Amino acid sequence: MAERLLLFATTARGTEDLLAAELKDLGAKRIRQDRGGVRFLASLDEALQVCLWSRIAMRVLYPLGEFDAPGAEGLYEAAASVPWEEHLTTHHTFAVDATLKDTTHAHSGFVALKVKDAIVDRLREKLGARPDVNTRDPDVSVVAHLVRDKLSLSLDLCGDPLHRRGYRVRPTAAPLKETLAAAILRAANYTGEEAVVDPMCGSGTLLIEAGLIARRRAPGIARSFAVERWPGMGPRARELLADMRADARRNERKVEVPLLGFDKSDEALEAASRNVKAAKLFEEIRLSEGDATHPLPVPEGGGLLVTNPPYGDRLGSGGQKGMKTFYFKLGESLRSLQGWRLWVLSGNPAFESAFHLRPIARRDLWNGPIECELLGYRAQGPQWAMEREESRPHANPTRNSGPRPARSETTLGPAHEPSDVAPMRPQHEGEEDA
Ligand SMILES: C[S@@+](CC[C@H](N)C(=O)[O-])C[C@H]1O[C@@H](n2cnc3c(N)ncnc32)[C@H](O)[C@@H]1O
């Protein structure tokens, strides 16, 4: 393999710019954002730093090529043209994972099978024997992505996707992916120096990711990577990663800021507690029962309040009207917290108007198949609450989806945020040379 590798890291759509910025911090060069991922150039050393340290990337792929692959025969021929003998031996196991978009093939399994057959046949011809397939724990993971008749083939440096940090031992309904939680914290410019509160913490993902940042802990410290088992590059990768892991452990630091989670569900708190323990952040993160539509005992001095309220589709909601009332009450409760920055990921289009606070930053992003908005706010403090109290009775939240009244505009402060928030919308194309 060449001295510098041209790699592609995948990420949730709408977070490409955040991943690009993180990759730049990790030493990547020639960074180019694409839809759902970022291309970059890295030495083996830098590529391994990305595997160990990227909080946002889901996979790190080493592209082998892009081919025209019409029909079943085209698929086979395209896959057979790759020099697999450079990447696999007869003693290493492999598996093929296929994804499809706009193709005439009905099943990804069929595409994976064709690619697998081509690999096996080529290696039998070149090496006189074939490697075994191991779909559960392969040494070499081949990723096939077919869009119409264009087949991309890559090797996955990570194996298990990077969101599997190893701490999610007890999920709840609708947990965020760990990598998406990290992207949200990066969008909120969280660097580990502020208190964090998640008033609806569910299984605790946002808090745990904040804890890892505050602890300066490498998100991949507790796992291994497929590249460590690759023929050729494996031994060098193992050696480099052993040093990187030791460095990472040495450079961890004590968490000096409060990290607090609330939820009204016992089941969610139980799951969060187990996950926090598995993440070895039991002393750093405090969890309590609480209702976010009522004042919560948050620490003085402010910080980052970040959360992912129920969207109303999967969690049972009492209908859209019930959700609007819930969001309105949430807005009433959270906006009066003096000195707090609020960041909310919502997948319910009714959230923004019902929450009734003017965002100072926003971005569209995808939480799996759900299109969401990430909204940034600055809480107004008790002064706001007093003014609201004086002007009661206030409007019915379910009817309050039109433009804000002029008085609110002045009360709610600046429309454009000063220095501590990320740009209003992600850039979609662009190249950076570090
Ligand atoms: C979408 S889930 C949060 C998922 C979380 N980010 C995770 O990664 O696991 C929403 C959470 O809000 C909680 N919740 C709903 N209403 C609440 C309320 N009034 N006060 C506190 N928590 C509430 C639910 O119990 C659920 O755990």
Side-chain angles (χ1 to χ4, degrees), residues 155-183:
L155 301 183
D156 185 341
L157 275 78
C158 306
D160 260 354
L162 290 178
H163 72 82
R164 300 220 181 110
R165 315 270 207 238
Y167 65 70
R168 168 119 358 115
V169 292
R170 179 79 79 89
T172 50
L176 281 180
K177 272 212 170 86
E178 297 83 336
T179 42
L180 184 60

Side-chain angles (χ1 to χ4, degrees), residues 337-404:
L337 296 170
Q338 182 86 52
W340 288 79
R341 307 189 291 127
L342 316 179
W343 282 79
V344 183
L345 179 73
S346 175
N348 187 329
F351 175 83
E352 187 179 344
S353 59
F355 193 62
H356 208 67
L357 180 58
R358 191 171 170 202
I360 52 178
R362 78 167 72 235
R363 69 166 58 227
D364 298 331
L365 54 76
W366 290 77
N367 178 6
I370 306 169
E371 189 171 7
C372 294
E373 270 199 312
L374 178 63
L375 299 161
Y377 302 92
R378 187 173 282 291
Q380 297 304 302
Q383 181 59 28
W384 177 88
M386 276 166 54
E387 285 176 23
R388 294 289 294 178
E389 204 51 49
E390 282 161 16
S391 64
R392 275 175 201 280
H394 51 65
N396 179 343
T398 57
R399 279 196 239 130
N400 217 349
S401 53
R404 310 278 174 280

Side-chain angles (χ1 to χ4, degrees), residues 90-167:
T90 53
H91 307 297
H92 287 80
T93 60
F94 78 103
V96 181
D97 185 26
T99 49
L100 316 182
K101 191 162 177 258
D102 302 335
T103 74
T104 50
H105 300 289
H107 298 294
S108 56
F110 175 77
V111 173
L113 190 69
K114 281 283 149 198
V115 173
K116 187 270 293 173
D117 286 348
I119 296 174
V120 164
D121 291 348
R122 175 158 182 141
L123 288 174
R124 200 184 275 121
E125 188 194 313
K126 299 278 176 192
L127 306 177
R130 56 160 287 179
D132 286 335
V133 170
N134 179 343
T135 50
R136 215 179 37 81
D137 184 27
D139 297 324
V140 177
S141 301
V142 176
V143 176
H145 184 53
L146 187 67
V147 182
R148 288 177 287 279
D149 280 344
K150 271 265 183 282
L151 176 69
S152 317
L153 291 169
S154 313
L155 301 183
D156 185 341
L157 275 78
C158 306
D160 260 354
L162 290 178
H163 72 82
R164 300 220 181 110
R165 315 270 207 238
Y167 65 70

Side-chain angles (χ1 to χ4, degrees), residues 169-172 202-204 266-276 287:
V169 292
R170 179 79 79 89
T172 50
S203 63
D266 289 344
E267 207 181 310
L269 288 169
E270 170 66 16
S273 164
R274 285 178 182 246
N275 294 340
V276 160
L287 301 165

Side-chain angles (χ1 to χ4, degrees), residues 62-63 78 136 156 194 238 283 313 331 390 394:
Y62 173 52
R136 215 179 37 81
D156 185 341
E194 282 168 291
R238 278 201 297 281
E283 288 177 8
D313 50 355
E390 282 161 16
H394 51 65

